[in-house]
Amino acid sequence: MARIDSTPTPLTPGLYDNLGLYATGEESLRLTAFSGLAVTLALEGRFTKLDGTVVPFAERLVPATDRTPSSLVMPLTEGWVSNVSVRASTGTPRRGQTFVLVELVRGQSGTVQPLTCLLQGYVQDTTRRAWPGSPIEQFSDGRGVIRSITGTDPAANTEISETVPTNARWRLIGLAVPFVADANVANRVIVVTFDDGTNVYLRAPAAGNVTAGQTVQVSLGAFGHTANSFTQVWPSVSVPDLVLMGGHRIRTVTSGIQVGDNYGGPQYLVEEWIED
Amino acid sequence: MWLKCETCGGVYQPVQAGGGLYFHTCPPLERVIVEQPDGSRAIVAPDPDDKRPIVGTTTIPRPGVRDERPIGVDPATGQVLIASPGRGVRVVPAPIVEEG
């Protein structure tokens, strides 16, 4: 009868460590990123081979800057994924601007089968998301980035219309826009409307009317009331704490608008998250 | 850099201060709903000389609208495809910002 060699494989330091997630050699790590800002992402970690050799890895991904998904696939040999982390190695994203997830997947192209999610959430240049360790985070968890946005300055006799970008979620904090009425005699009534791209779900009127020759500064916020200065040049628009999804629109509807009336470019403050 | 939309005449910054991108979309055309002498309703452009009673407002899509929101990537060139290029854009000087 043949003897079975039962000599065990010597335990190397790499095998003493937390071995992590076993990979069969047919799997890959996939980094998917959504970013609203120009960044370079570093996918870094350690992989332990069957012989206990610990191999560091560091891959780079430059995602699209329009919040559409970009991916990097890193094939794995047989062994163990010991630890993984993602950070922004270039760029200075704030929380809410760059969202990543790292998965173990089977297949490298075509029909790729995700097997498990290792890490998911927002990353910055100064903070990381790591496995093991970081909690799995959703797009709208926590606070977003505060952005001050300069909208489109429309042509004369044209309303304001701002659209929430694709794959973004906005909480509108405030909006300021000047309006200049021409010499035509008419009462202009400014209403700010919010719609889902088609259907209006909120109309918020500005306080007071705008008359011929006036220049007013319209201000929108969760004031709790509308107000107007005694000279009617600072009409306010009161809205609730609004959360807007991609494709929703912020528009003005100005009854009595005249051919020479002109809105300036709106400036608005939003809290923004990625939302795919 | 500031761009002017050749469809609607709007002027905007495609890259904002702070580095975030801005995706211009032309505003729709405002229309009023008027009551005609026979009782029916019509959607027309606002006209101060039109004496028909206005019973509502609505909007219609702007012809040749420019919508810069991304809808995918051209597999041949790798370029981002936008929803609708409209009549294009041109570079213009920055507008004067009024502070008050």
Side-chain angles (χ1 to χ4, degrees), chain A residues 36-38 64-68 97 147-155 158-166 178 180 203 215 217 234 246-249 251-255 257-258 267-268, chain B residues 2-5 8-13 16-30 46 48 57-59 62 67-73 80-81 95-100:
Chain A
L37 195 69
T65 55
D66 56 13
R67 304 179 190 80
T68 54
Q97 291 187 295
R147 288 185 64 200
S148 177
I149 300 172
T150 304
T152 297
D153 183 352
T158 305
E159 303 280 1
I160 296 288
S161 181
E162 296 293 316
T163 305
V164 181
T166 304
V180 180
R203 294 182 177 86
T215 297
Q217 301 288 341
W234 305 98
H248 286 208
R249 298 184 301 182
R251 298 189 298 113
T252 56
V253 177
T254 310
S255 66
I257 192 169
Q258 302 298 303
Q267 188 73 31
Y268 47 104
Chain B
W2 289 79
L3 300 177
K4 181 168 186 171
C5 174
C8 70
V11 175
Y12 60 96
Q13 265 187 313
Q16 300 275 305
L21 299 184
Y22 175 83
F23 304 96
H24 169 72
T25 55
C26 294
L29 294 176
E30 301 294 325
T57 61
T58 187
T59 61
R62 182 179 293 265
D67 183 343
E68 295 182 344
R69 288 174 295 166
I71 57 171
V73 175
V80 174
L81 299 172
I96 296 171
V97 177
E98 297 179 29
E99 292 293 330

Coordinates of all heavy atoms in Angstrom, one line a residue, chain A residues 36-38 64-68 97 147-155 158-166 178 180 203 215 217 234 246-249 251-255 257-258 267-268, chain B residues 2-5 8-13 16-30 46 48 57-59 62 67-73 80-81 95-100:
Chain A
G36 N -18.7 63.1 -10.5 CA -19.1 64.4 -11.0 C -18.0 65.4 -11.1 O -18.2 66.6 -11.3
L37 N -16.8 64.8 -11.0 CA -15.6 65.7 -10.9 C -14.4 64.9 -11.5 O -14.4 63.6 -11.5 CB -15.3 66.0 -9.5 CG -14.3 67.1 -9.1 CD1 -14.9 68.4 -9.5 CD2 -13.9 67.1 -7.7
A38 N -13.4 65.6 -12.1 CA -12.2 64.9 -12.6 C -11.4 64.4 -11.5 O -10.9 65.1 -10.7 CB -11.4 65.9 -13.5
A64 N -15.4 58.7 -15.9 CA -16.0 59.8 -16.6 C -16.5 60.9 -15.6 O -16.6 60.5 -14.4 CB -17.3 59.3 -17.4
T65 N -16.6 62.1 -16.0 CA -16.9 63.2 -15.0 C -18.4 63.6 -15.1 O -18.8 64.6 -14.5 CB -16.0 64.4 -15.3 OG1 -16.2 64.8 -16.7 CG2 -14.6 64.1 -15.1
D66 N -19.2 62.8 -15.8 CA -20.6 63.1 -16.0 C -21.5 62.2 -15.2 O -22.7 62.1 -15.5 CB -21.0 63.1 -17.4 CG -20.7 61.8 -18.1 OD1 -20.4 60.8 -17.4 OD2 -20.7 61.7 -19.3
R67 N -21.0 61.6 -14.2 CA -21.7 60.7 -13.2 C -22.2 59.4 -13.9 O -22.9 58.6 -13.3 CB -22.9 61.4 -12.6 CG -22.6 62.7 -11.9 CD -23.8 63.3 -11.3 NE -23.5 64.7 -10.8 CZ -23.4 65.7 -11.6 NH1 -23.6 65.6 -12.9 NH2 -23.1 66.9 -11.1
T68 N -21.7 59.1 -15.1 CA -22.1 57.8 -15.7 C -21.0 56.8 -15.2 O -19.9 57.2 -14.9 CB -22.0 57.9 -17.2 OG1 -20.8 58.4 -17.7 CG2 -23.2 58.8 -17.7
Q97 N -19.4 63.5 -4.4 CA -19.0 63.7 -5.8 C -18.5 62.5 -6.5 O -18.6 62.4 -7.7 CB -18.0 64.8 -5.9 CG -18.5 66.2 -5.5 CD -17.5 67.3 -5.7 OE1 -16.5 67.4 -5.1 NE2 -17.8 68.2 -6.7
R147 N -22.8 72.6 -3.6 CA -22.3 73.2 -4.8 C -23.1 74.5 -5.1 O -24.3 74.6 -4.9 CB -22.6 72.3 -6.0 CG -21.7 71.0 -6.1 CD -22.0 70.3 -7.4 NE -21.7 71.1 -8.6 CZ -22.1 70.9 -9.8 NH1 -23.0 69.9 -10.0 NH2 -21.8 71.6 -10.8
S148 N -22.3 75.5 -5.5 CA -22.9 76.8 -6.0 C -22.8 76.7 -7.5 O -21.7 76.6 -8.0 CB -22.1 78.0 -5.4 OG -22.6 79.2 -5.9
I149 N -23.9 76.8 -8.1 CA -24.0 76.6 -9.6 C -24.5 77.8 -10.3 O -25.5 78.4 -9.9 CB -25.0 75.4 -9.9 CG1 -24.5 74.1 -9.2 CG2 -25.1 75.2 -11.4 CD1 -25.5 73.0 -9.3
T150 N -23.7 78.2 -11.3 CA -24.2 79.3 -12.2 C -25.0 78.8 -13.3 O -24.4 78.0 -14.2 CB -22.9 80.1 -12.7 OG1 -22.1 80.5 -11.6 CG2 -23.3 81.3 -13.5
G151 N -26.2 79.1 -13.4 CA -27.1 78.5 -14.4 C -27.0 79.3 -15.7 O -26.2 80.2 -15.9
T152 N -27.8 78.9 -16.6 CA -27.9 79.6 -17.9 C -28.5 80.9 -17.9 O -29.6 81.1 -17.4 CB -28.6 78.7 -18.9 OG1 -28.0 77.5 -19.1 CG2 -28.7 79.4 -20.3
D153 N -27.8 81.9 -18.4 CA -28.3 83.3 -18.5 C -29.2 83.3 -19.8 O -28.6 83.3 -20.9 CB -27.2 84.3 -18.6 CG -27.7 85.7 -18.7 OD1 -28.9 86.0 -18.8 OD2 -26.8 86.6 -18.6
P154 N -30.5 83.4 -19.7 CA -31.3 83.2 -20.9 C -31.4 84.5 -21.7 O -31.1 85.6 -21.2 CB -32.7 82.8 -20.3 CG -32.8 83.5 -19.0 CD -31.4 83.5 -18.5
A155 N -31.8 84.3 -23.0 CA -32.0 85.5 -23.8 C -33.2 86.3 -23.4 O -34.0 85.8 -22.5 CB -32.2 85.0 -25.3
T158 N -37.2 85.2 -22.3 CA -37.0 83.7 -22.2 C -37.0 83.4 -20.7 O -36.3 84.1 -19.9 CB -35.8 83.2 -22.9 OG1 -35.8 83.6 -24.3 CG2 -35.7 81.7 -22.8
E159 N -37.7 82.3 -20.3 CA -37.7 82.0 -18.9 C -36.5 81.2 -18.5 O -35.7 80.7 -19.3 CB -39.0 81.1 -18.7 CG -40.3 81.7 -19.1 CD -40.8 82.7 -18.1 OE1 -40.2 82.9 -17.0 OE2 -41.9 83.2 -18.3
I160 N -36.3 81.2 -17.2 CA -35.3 80.4 -16.6 C -35.7 78.9 -16.7 O -36.8 78.6 -16.5 CB -35.1 80.7 -15.1 CG1 -34.6 82.2 -15.0 CG2 -34.1 79.8 -14.4 CD1 -33.2 82.4 -15.4
S161 N -34.7 78.0 -17.0 CA -35.0 76.6 -17.0 C -33.7 75.9 -16.6 O -32.7 75.9 -17.4 CB -35.5 76.1 -18.3 OG -35.8 74.7 -18.3
E162 N -33.7 75.2 -15.5 CA -32.5 74.5 -15.0 C -32.9 73.0 -14.8 O -34.0 72.7 -14.2 CB -32.0 75.0 -13.7 CG -31.4 76.5 -13.9 CD -30.2 76.5 -14.8 OE1 -29.3 75.7 -14.6 OE2 -30.1 77.5 -15.6
T163 N -32.1 72.1 -15.3 CA -32.4 70.7 -15.2 C -31.4 69.9 -14.3 O -30.2 70.2 -14.5 CB -32.4 70.0 -16.6 OG1 -33.3 70.8 -17.5 CG2 -32.8 68.6 -16.6
V164 N -31.9 69.1 -13.4 CA -31.0 68.3 -12.6 C -30.3 67.3 -13.5 O -30.9 66.6 -14.3 CB -31.8 67.6 -11.5 CG1 -30.9 66.8 -10.6 CG2 -32.6 68.6 -10.7
P165 N -29.0 67.3 -13.4 CA -28.2 66.4 -14.3 C -28.6 64.9 -14.1 O -29.1 64.5 -13.1 CB -26.7 66.6 -13.9 CG -26.7 67.9 -13.1 CD -28.1 68.0 -12.5
T166 N -28.3 64.2 -15.2 CA -28.5 62.7 -15.1 C -27.6 62.1 -14.0 O -26.5 62.5 -13.8 CB -28.0 62.1 -16.4 OG1 -28.8 62.7 -17.5 CG2 -28.3 60.6 -16.4
P178 N -31.7 87.8 -11.0 CA -32.2 89.1 -11.3 C -33.2 89.1 -12.5 O -33.1 88.2 -13.3 CB -30.9 89.9 -11.7 CG -30.0 88.9 -12.3 CD -30.4 87.6 -11.6
V180 N -35.1 92.0 -15.1 CA -35.2 93.4 -15.5 C -36.5 93.5 -16.4 O -36.6 92.8 -17.5 CB -34.0 93.8 -16.3 CG1 -34.1 95.3 -16.8 CG2 -32.7 93.7 -15.4
R203 N -45.8 74.9 -7.6 CA -45.7 76.2 -8.1 C -45.5 77.2 -6.9 O -46.3 77.1 -6.0 CB -46.9 76.6 -8.9 CG -47.1 75.8 -10.2 CD -48.4 76.3 -10.9 NE -48.5 75.6 -12.2 CZ -49.1 74.4 -12.3 NH1 -49.6 73.8 -11.2 NH2 -49.2 73.8 -13.5
T215 N -36.0 96.7 -11.9 CA -35.1 95.6 -11.8 C -35.2 95.0 -10.4 O -35.1 95.7 -9.4 CB -33.6 96.1 -12.0 OG1 -33.5 96.7 -13.3 CG2 -32.6 95.0 -11.8
Q217 N -34.4 91.5 -7.7 CA -33.6 90.4 -7.4 C -34.5 89.3 -6.7 O -34.9 89.5 -5.5 CB -32.4 90.8 -6.5 CG -31.5 91.8 -7.1 CD -30.6 91.3 -8.2 OE1 -30.4 90.1 -8.3 NE2 -30.1 92.2 -9.0
W234 N -36.9 93.2 -3.9 CA -36.3 91.9 -3.4 C -37.4 90.9 -3.2 O -37.6 90.4 -2.1 CB -35.6 92.2 -2.1 CG -34.5 93.2 -2.2 CD1 -34.6 94.6 -1.8 CD2 -33.2 93.1 -2.7 NE1 -33.4 95.2 -2.1 CE2 -32.5 94.3 -2.6 CE3 -32.5 92.0 -3.2 CZ2 -31.2 94.5 -3.0 CZ3 -31.1 92.2 -3.5 CH2 -30.5 93.4 -3.5
G246 N -32.7 63.4 -10.9 CA -32.2 63.7 -12.3 C -33.3 63.9 -13.2 O -34.2 63.1 -13.3
G247 N -33.2 64.9 -14.1 CA -34.3 65.2 -15.0 C -35.4 66.1 -14.5 O -36.1 66.7 -15.3
H248 N -35.4 66.3 -13.2 CA -36.4 67.3 -12.7 C -35.9 68.7 -13.1 O -34.7 69.0 -13.3 CB -36.5 67.2 -11.2 CG -37.3 66.0 -10.8 ND1 -38.0 66.0 -9.6 CD2 -37.5 64.8 -11.3 CE1 -38.6 64.8 -9.4 NE2 -38.3 64.1 -10.5
R249 N -36.9 69.6 -13.2 CA -36.5 71.0 -13.7 C -37.0 72.1 -12.7 O -38.1 71.9 -12.0 CB -37.2 71.2 -15.0 CG -36.7 70.3 -16.1 CD -37.3 70.7 -17.5 NE -38.7 70.6 -17.5 CZ -39.4 70.9 -18.6 NH1 -38.8 71.2 -19.7 NH2 -40.7 70.8 -18.5
R251 N -38.0 76.0 -13.1 CA -38.3 76.9 -14.2 C -39.0 78.1 -13.6 O -39.6 78.1 -12.5 CB -39.2 76.3 -15.2 CG -38.6 75.1 -16.0 CD -39.4 74.6 -17.2 NE -40.7 74.2 -16.8 CZ -41.8 74.7 -17.2 NH1 -41.8 75.9 -17.9 NH2 -43.0 74.2 -16.8
T252 N -39.0 79.2 -14.3 CA -39.9 80.3 -14.0 C -41.0 80.4 -15.1 O -40.8 80.0 -16.2 CB -39.1 81.7 -14.1 OG1 -38.5 81.8 -15.4 CG2 -38.0 81.7 -13.0
V253 N -42.1 80.8 -14.6 CA -43.3 81.1 -15.5 C -43.7 82.5 -15.2 O -44.1 82.8 -14.0 CB -44.4 80.1 -15.3 CG1 -45.6 80.5 -16.2 CG2 -44.0 78.7 -15.6
T254 N -43.5 83.4 -16.1 CA -43.8 84.8 -15.8 C -44.9 85.3 -16.6 O -44.8 85.6 -17.8 CB -42.5 85.6 -16.2 OG1 -41.4 85.0 -15.6 CG2 -42.6 87.1 -15.7
S255 N -46.1 85.5 -16.0 CA -47.2 86.0 -16.7 C -47.0 87.5 -16.9 O -46.5 88.2 -16.1 CB -48.5 85.7 -15.9 OG -48.5 86.4 -14.7
I257 N -45.0 88.6 -19.2 CA -43.6 88.9 -19.6 C -43.7 89.6 -20.9 O -44.5 89.3 -21.8 CB -42.8 87.6 -19.7 CG1 -41.3 87.9 -19.8 CG2 -43.3 86.7 -20.8 CD1 -40.4 86.7 -19.7
Q258 N -42.8 90.6 -21.1 CA -42.8 91.4 -22.3 C -41.5 91.1 -23.1 O -40.6 90.5 -22.6 CB -42.7 92.9 -21.9 CG -43.9 93.4 -21.0 CD -45.2 93.2 -21.8 OE1 -45.4 93.8 -22.9 NE2 -46.2 92.4 -21.2
Q267 N -28.2 81.9 -9.9 CA -27.1 81.3 -9.1 C -27.8 80.5 -8.0 O -28.6 81.1 -7.3 CB -26.2 82.4 -8.5 CG -25.0 81.8 -7.8 CD -23.9 81.3 -8.8 OE1 -23.8 81.9 -9.9 NE2 -23.2 80.3 -8.4
Y268 N -27.5 79.2 -7.9 CA -28.2 78.4 -6.9 C -27.3 77.5 -6.2 O -26.3 77.1 -6.7 CB -29.4 77.7 -7.5 CG -29.2 76.9 -8.8 CD1 -29.0 75.5 -8.8 CD2 -29.1 77.6 -10.0 CE1 -28.9 74.8 -9.9 CE2 -28.9 76.9 -11.2 CZ -28.8 75.5 -11.1 OH -28.6 74.8 -12.3
Chain B
W2 N -17.1 80.5 -21.5 CA -18.5 80.6 -21.6 C -19.0 80.3 -23.0 O -18.3 80.6 -24.0 CB -19.0 82.1 -21.2 CG -18.8 82.4 -19.8 CD1 -17.6 82.7 -19.1 CD2 -19.8 82.4 -18.8 NE1 -17.9 82.9 -17.8 CE2 -19.2 82.8 -17.6 CE3 -21.2 82.2 -18.8 CZ2 -20.0 82.9 -16.4 CZ3 -21.9 82.3 -17.6 CH2 -21.3 82.7 -16.4
L3 N -20.1 79.6 -23.0 CA -20.7 79.2 -24.3 C -22.1 79.8 -24.5 O -22.8 80.1 -23.5 CB -20.8 77.7 -24.4 CG -19.6 76.9 -24.3 CD1 -19.9 75.4 -24.3 CD2 -18.6 77.2 -25.4
K4 N -22.4 80.1 -25.8 CA -23.8 80.6 -26.1 C -24.4 79.5 -26.9 O -23.9 79.0 -27.9 CB -23.7 81.9 -26.8 CG -25.1 82.4 -27.2 CD -25.1 83.8 -27.7 CE -26.5 84.4 -27.8 NZ -26.5 85.8 -28.1
C5 N -25.6 79.1 -26.5 CA -26.4 78.1 -27.2 C -27.0 78.8 -28.4 O -27.7 79.8 -28.3 CB -27.5 77.5 -26.3 SG -28.6 76.4 -27.1
C8 N -31.2 78.5 -28.2 CA -32.1 79.3 -27.3 C -31.4 80.7 -26.9 O -32.0 81.5 -26.4 CB -32.4 78.6 -26.0 SG -31.0 78.4 -24.9
G9 N -30.1 80.8 -27.3 CA -29.4 82.1 -26.9 C -28.9 82.2 -25.5 O -28.4 83.2 -25.1
G10 N -29.1 81.1 -24.7 CA -28.7 81.1 -23.4 C -27.1 81.0 -23.3 O -26.5 80.4 -24.1
V11 N -26.6 81.7 -22.3 CA -25.1 81.7 -22.1 C -24.8 81.0 -20.8 O -25.4 81.3 -19.8 CB -24.6 83.2 -22.0 CG1 -23.1 83.3 -21.7 CG2 -24.9 83.9 -23.4
Y12 N -23.8 80.2 -20.8 CA -23.5 79.3 -19.6 C -22.1 78.9 -19.6 O -21.3 79.0 -20.6 CB -24.4 78.1 -19.6 CG -24.3 77.2 -20.8 CD1 -23.4 76.1 -20.8 CD2 -24.9 77.5 -22.0 CE1 -23.3 75.3 -21.9 CE2 -24.8 76.7 -23.1 CZ -24.0 75.6 -23.1 OH -23.8 74.8 -24.2
Q13 N -21.7 78.4 -18.4 CA -20.3 77.9 -18.2 C -20.4 76.4 -18.2 O -21.0 75.8 -17.2 CB -19.8 78.4 -16.8 CG -19.0 79.6 -16.8 CD -18.4 79.9 -15.4 OE1 -19.1 79.8 -14.4 NE2 -17.1 80.2 -15.4
Q16 N -17.9 74.5 -14.2 CA -18.2 75.5 -13.1 C -17.0 75.7 -12.3 O -16.0 74.9 -12.3 CB -19.3 74.9 -12.3 CG -20.6 74.7 -13.0 CD -21.5 76.0 -13.2 OE1 -21.8 76.6 -12.2 NE2 -21.8 76.3 -14.4
A17 N -17.0 76.8 -11.5 CA -16.0 76.9 -10.5 C -16.1 75.8 -9.5 O -17.2 75.4 -9.1 CB -16.3 78.2 -9.7
G18 N -15.0 75.1 -9.2 CA -15.0 73.9 -8.4 C -14.8 72.7 -9.2 O -14.6 71.6 -8.7
G19 N -15.0 72.8 -10.5 CA -14.7 71.7 -11.4 C -15.9 70.9 -11.9 O -15.7 70.0 -12.8
G20 N -17.0 71.1 -11.2 CA -18.2 70.3 -11.7 C -18.7 70.7 -13.0 O -18.5 71.8 -13.5
L21 N -19.3 69.8 -13.8 CA -19.8 70.0 -15.1 C -21.2 70.5 -15.0 O -22.0 70.2 -14.1 CB -19.7 68.8 -16.0 CG -18.3 68.2 -16.2 CD1 -18.4 67.0 -17.2 CD2 -17.3 69.2 -16.7
Y22 N -21.5 71.4 -16.0 CA -22.9 71.9 -16.1 C -23.4 71.5 -17.5 O -22.8 71.7 -18.5 CB -22.9 73.4 -16.0 CG -24.2 74.1 -16.2 CD1 -25.2 74.2 -15.2 CD2 -24.6 74.6 -17.5 CE1 -26.4 74.8 -15.4 CE2 -25.8 75.2 -17.7 CZ -26.7 75.3 -16.7 OH -28.0 75.9 -16.9
F23 N -24.6 70.9 -17.5 CA -25.2 70.3 -18.7 C -26.4 71.2 -19.1 O -27.5 71.1 -18.5 CB -25.6 68.9 -18.5 CG -24.5 68.0 -18.0 CD1 -24.3 67.8 -16.6 CD2 -23.6 67.4 -18.9 CE1 -23.3 67.0 -16.2 CE2 -22.6 66.7 -18.4 CZ -22.4 66.4 -17.1
H24 N -26.2 72.1 -20.1 CA -27.2 73.0 -20.5 C -28.4 72.2 -21.2 O -28.1 71.3 -22.0 CB -26.6 74.0 -21.5 CG -27.7 74.9 -22.2 ND1 -28.4 75.8 -21.5 CD2 -28.1 74.9 -23.5 CE1 -29.2 76.4 -22.4 NE2 -29.1 75.8 -23.6
T25 N -29.6 72.6 -20.9 CA -30.8 72.2 -21.6 C -31.6 73.4 -21.9 O -31.8 74.3 -21.1 CB -31.6 71.2 -20.8 OG1 -32.0 71.8 -19.6 CG2 -30.8 69.9 -20.6
C26 N -32.0 73.6 -23.2 CA -32.8 74.7 -23.6 C -34.1 74.7 -22.8 O -34.7 73.7 -22.6 CB -33.1 74.7 -25.1 SG -31.6 74.9 -26.1
P27 N -34.6 75.9 -22.5 CA -35.9 76.0 -21.9 C -37.0 75.7 -22.9 O -36.9 75.9 -24.1 CB -36.0 77.4 -21.3 CG -35.1 78.2 -22.2 CD -34.0 77.2 -22.5
P28 N -38.1 75.1 -22.4 CA -39.3 74.9 -23.4 C -39.9 76.3 -23.8 O -39.5 77.3 -23.2 CB -40.2 74.1 -22.5 CG -40.0 74.5 -21.1 CD -38.5 74.7 -21.1
L29 N -40.7 76.2 -24.7 CA -41.4 77.4 -25.2 C -42.7 77.6 -24.4 O -43.5 76.7 -24.2 CB -41.8 77.4 -26.7 CG -40.5 77.3 -27.6 CD1 -41.0 77.2 -29.1 CD2 -39.7 78.6 -27.5
E30 N -42.9 78.8 -23.8 CA -44.1 79.1 -23.1 C -45.2 79.4 -24.0 O -45.1 80.1 -25.0 CB -43.8 80.3 -22.2 CG -42.7 80.2 -21.2 CD -42.9 79.1 -20.1 OE1 -44.1 78.9 -19.7 OE2 -42.0 78.4 -19.8
P46 N -47.8 83.7 -26.4 CA -48.4 84.9 -25.7 C -48.3 86.1 -26.7 O -47.3 86.3 -27.3 CB -47.5 85.0 -24.5 CG -46.8 83.7 -24.3 CD -46.7 83.1 -25.7
P48 N -49.7 90.2 -26.5 CA -50.4 91.2 -25.8 C -51.6 91.8 -26.6 O -52.5 92.3 -26.0 CB -49.3 92.3 -25.5 CG -48.2 92.0 -26.5 CD -48.2 90.6 -26.8
T57 N -51.8 78.2 -18.8 CA -50.5 78.2 -19.4 C -49.9 76.8 -19.6 O -50.3 75.9 -18.8 CB -49.5 79.1 -18.6 OG1 -49.3 78.5 -17.3 CG2 -50.0 80.5 -18.4
T58 N -49.1 76.7 -20.5 CA -48.4 75.4 -20.7 C -47.1 75.6 -21.5 O -46.7 76.8 -21.7 CB -49.4 74.5 -21.6 OG1 -48.8 73.2 -21.6 CG2 -49.5 75.0 -23.0
T59 N -46.4 74.6 -21.8 CA -45.2 74.7 -22.5 C -45.2 73.7 -23.6 O -45.9 72.6 -23.6 CB -43.9 74.4 -21.6 OG1 -44.0 73.1 -21.1 CG2 -43.8 75.4 -20.5
R62 N -39.1 73.0 -27.4 CA -38.5 73.9 -28.3 C -37.9 73.2 -29.5 O -37.1 72.2 -29.3 CB -37.4 74.7 -27.5 CG -36.6 75.7 -28.3 CD -35.6 76.4 -27.5 NE -36.1 77.1 -26.4 CZ -36.4 78.5 -26.4 NH1 -36.1 79.2 -27.5 NH2 -36.9 79.1 -25.3
D67 N -29.8 69.6 -25.6 CA -29.8 69.0 -24.3 C -28.5 68.2 -24.1 O -28.2 67.2 -24.8 CB -31.0 68.0 -24.2 CG -31.1 67.3 -22.9 OD1 -30.2 67.3 -22.1 OD2 -32.2 66.7 -22.6
E68 N -27.6 68.7 -23.2 CA -26.3 68.2 -23.1 C -26.1 67.1 -22.1 O -25.0 66.6 -21.9 CB -25.3 69.4 -22.7 CG -25.2 70.5 -23.7 CD -24.2 71.6 -23.2 OE1 -23.9 71.6 -22.0 OE2 -23.8 72.4 -24.1
R69 N -27.3 66.6 -21.6 CA -27.1 65.5 -20.7 C -26.6 64.2 -21.4 O -27.1 63.9 -22.5 CB -28.5 65.2 -20.0 CG -28.8 66.3 -19.0 CD -30.2 66.1 -18.4 NE -31.2 66.2 -19.4 CZ -32.5 65.8 -19.3 NH1 -32.9 65.2 -18.2 NH2 -33.4 66.0 -20.2
P70 N -25.7 63.5 -20.8 CA -25.1 62.3 -21.5 C -26.1 61.2 -21.6 O -26.8 60.9 -20.7 CB -23.9 62.0 -20.7 CG -24.2 62.5 -19.3 CD -25.1 63.7 -19.5
I71 N -26.0 60.5 -22.8 CA -26.9 59.3 -22.9 C -26.1 58.1 -23.3 O -26.7 57.0 -23.4 CB -28.0 59.6 -24.0 CG1 -27.3 59.9 -25.4 CG2 -28.9 60.7 -23.6 CD1 -28.3 59.9 -26.5
G72 N -24.8 58.2 -23.4 CA -24.0 57.0 -23.7 C -22.7 57.4 -24.3 O -22.3 58.6 -24.3
V73 N -22.0 56.4 -24.8 CA -20.7 56.6 -25.4 C -20.6 56.0 -26.8 O -21.1 54.9 -27.0 CB -19.6 56.0 -24.5 CG1 -18.2 56.1 -25.2 CG2 -19.5 56.7 -23.1
V80 N -18.4 60.9 -25.6 CA -19.7 60.9 -24.9 C -20.8 61.5 -25.9 O -20.6 62.5 -26.5 CB -19.7 61.8 -23.7 CG1 -21.0 61.9 -23.0 CG2 -18.6 61.2 -22.7
L81 N -21.9 60.8 -25.9 CA -23.1 61.2 -26.7 C -24.0 62.0 -25.8 O -24.3 61.6 -24.7 CB -23.8 60.0 -27.3 CG -22.9 59.1 -28.2 CD1 -23.7 57.9 -28.6 CD2 -22.5 59.9 -29.5
P95 N -20.4 87.0 -19.2 CA -21.4 88.1 -19.0 C -21.0 88.9 -17.8 O -20.3 88.4 -16.9 CB -22.7 87.4 -18.8 CG -22.4 86.0 -18.3 CD -21.0 85.7 -18.9
I96 N -21.5 90.1 -17.7 CA -21.2 90.9 -16.5 C -22.2 90.5 -15.4 O -23.4 90.3 -15.6 CB -21.5 92.4 -16.8 CG1 -20.5 92.9 -17.9 CG2 -21.4 93.3 -15.6 CD1 -20.8 94.3 -18.4
V97 N -21.6 90.2 -14.2 CA -22.4 89.7 -13.1 C -22.8 90.9 -12.3 O -22.0 91.7 -11.8 CB -21.6 88.8 -12.2 CG1 -22.4 88.3 -11.0 CG2 -21.2 87.6 -13.0
E98 N -24.2 91.1 -12.1 CA -24.7 92.2 -11.3 C -24.8 91.8 -9.9 O -25.4 90.7 -9.6 CB -26.0 92.7 -11.9 CG -26.0 93.2 -13.3 CD -27.3 93.6 -13.8 OE1 -28.2 94.0 -13.0 OE2 -27.6 93.6 -15.0
E99 N -24.3 92.6 -9.0 CA -24.3 92.1 -7.6 C -25.5 92.6 -6.9 O -25.8 92.1 -5.8 CB -23.0 92.7 -6.9 CG -21.7 92.1 -7.4 CD -21.6 90.6 -7.0 OE1 -22.1 90.2 -6.0 OE2 -20.9 89.9 -7.8
G100 N -26.2 93.6 -7.4 CA -27.4 94.0 -6.6 C -28.2 95.0 -7.4 O -28.0 95.3 -8.5

